[in-house]
Amino acid sequence: MPEGHTLLRLARDLAAAFGGRPVRVSSPQGRFAADAALVDGSLCLGAESAGKHLFVELAGERYLHVHLGLIGKFDVVAKPAGAAGPSPVGQVRLRLENDTAYADLRGATQCDLVGPERRQQILDRLGEDPLRADADPRRAWERISRSARPIGDLLMDQSVVAGVGNVYRAEILFRHRIHPLRPGKTLRRGQFDALWQDLAELMEYGVRTGRIDTVREEHTPEAMGRPARRDDHGGEVYVYRRHGQDCLVCGARVRTDTLAGRNLFWCARCQPVFRSRAVG
DNA sequence: CCTCTATGGCGAA
DNA sequence: TCGCCCTAGAGGC
């Protein structure tokens, strides 16, 4: 689940469910039990996300810092007023609970109790977040336009652009016809500006709907008379995990490869390999 | 039962 | 670049 839009939704849901009231904090699985006990019963002030990081703010400048990693889930569930939450199912590292809701955290790579200095340190290390109104895309452009690293690598570097994951990476590069291995410094400013604008709009759509849909109207299942994508992501995409299938735009075979341990997906015809100079 | 995979990210070598 | 951490679900035997 976790790209930036998921974390922003989660922050909103947690703030709505727990903000302004005391919250019970526990660790059914046990690994977070000592820290949970330190803040159990604290007043919850709210929750915020930054890139793929999540902070639940408690009174006394204490924050529950969560990073879901690849497989983490943080389920926020309403319950009848006054009822007890159900017994935890599976490996619940952290449970937040009050009279009207509970939230179970599983599989996260990070779950720490931190103070304001550590929180600020985490925020300072993050690049520009397309979901933030005060994001400054020029800072991301400065990094990308000076780098020989592949644009597919730069987009996943959280110190360059915060919140982008493998699905948005694959899809934004397809929509802008840019090969994932193309060096960042070979992008033109206009290309980057269009990409950033589009990325912000796609991710805002993801916040509204809770899913990643990136296909344009003319490529929807209805428009093309093709079956809808029915997998665990739910969204309609051009290339992400569609390797071996036909490109929705040109019909060529969608390709896949690995870069820095993560899967790339692209259409070899729509996203041709970039050649920096004619060499005969 | 087993193996594999996944929208991440870290540190060791 | 690799192994490893985290968890759950799917698929193979």
Side-chain angles (χ1 to χ4, degrees), chain A residues 42-121:
Chain A
S42 295
L43 175 64
C44 176
L45 300 176
E48 62 176 341
S49 72
K52 298 173 190 171
H53 293 259
L54 176 71
F55 297 92
V56 177
E57 185 177 4
L58 304 172
E61 292 197 296
R62 292 172 300 184
Y63 303 83
L64 295 170
H65 168 232
V66 170
H67 194 296
L68 294 178
L70 188 57
I71 59 179
K73 287 183 171 60
F74 206 169
D75 297 318
V76 184
V77 184
K79 65 178 190 180
S87 295
V89 175
Q91 298 292 308
V92 177
R93 185 175 319 182
L94 168 68
R95 171 173 280 193
L96 304 179
E97 186 167 8
N98 62 20
D99 286 345
T100 57
Y102 68 95
D104 284 350
L105 175 70
R106 297 179 177 81
T109 49
Q110 289 182 58
C111 175
D112 314 296
L113 182 61
V114 303
E117 298 83 7
R118 173 63 179 150
R119 169 181 166 277
Q120 192 58 49
Q121 183 181 51

Side-chain angles (χ1 to χ4, degrees), chain A residues 112-179:
Chain A
D112 314 296
L113 182 61
V114 303
E117 298 83 7
R118 173 63 179 150
R119 169 181 166 277
Q120 192 58 49
Q121 183 181 51
I122 291 164
L123 296 180
D124 289 345
R125 290 176 180 173
L126 291 176
E128 298 302 304
D129 185 339
L131 286 174
R132 289 192 61 107
D134 61 356
D136 182 0
R138 288 172 301 182
R139 294 191 60 222
W141 171 243
E142 283 169 18
R143 290 281 302 274
I144 291 169
S145 63
R146 289 199 315 257
S147 177
R149 288 162 56 198
I151 183 62
D153 190 15
L154 291 161
L155 286 174
M156 289 277 278
D157 183 335
Q158 301 299 299
S159 75
V160 177
V161 182
V164 171
N166 212 7
V167 184
Y168 282 123
R169 164 174 76 171
E171 294 299 302
I172 201 69
L173 289 174
F174 176 86
R175 284 169 61 100
H176 293 263
R177 306 180 65 90
I178 298 171
H179 194 286

Side-chain angles (χ1 to χ4, degrees), chain A residues 150-154 156 169 180-181 257-264:
Chain A
I151 183 62
D153 190 15
L154 291 161
M156 289 277 278
R169 164 174 76 171
L181 296 184
D257 201 353
T258 300
L259 175 67
R262 307 302 302 281
N263 294 322
L264 294 175

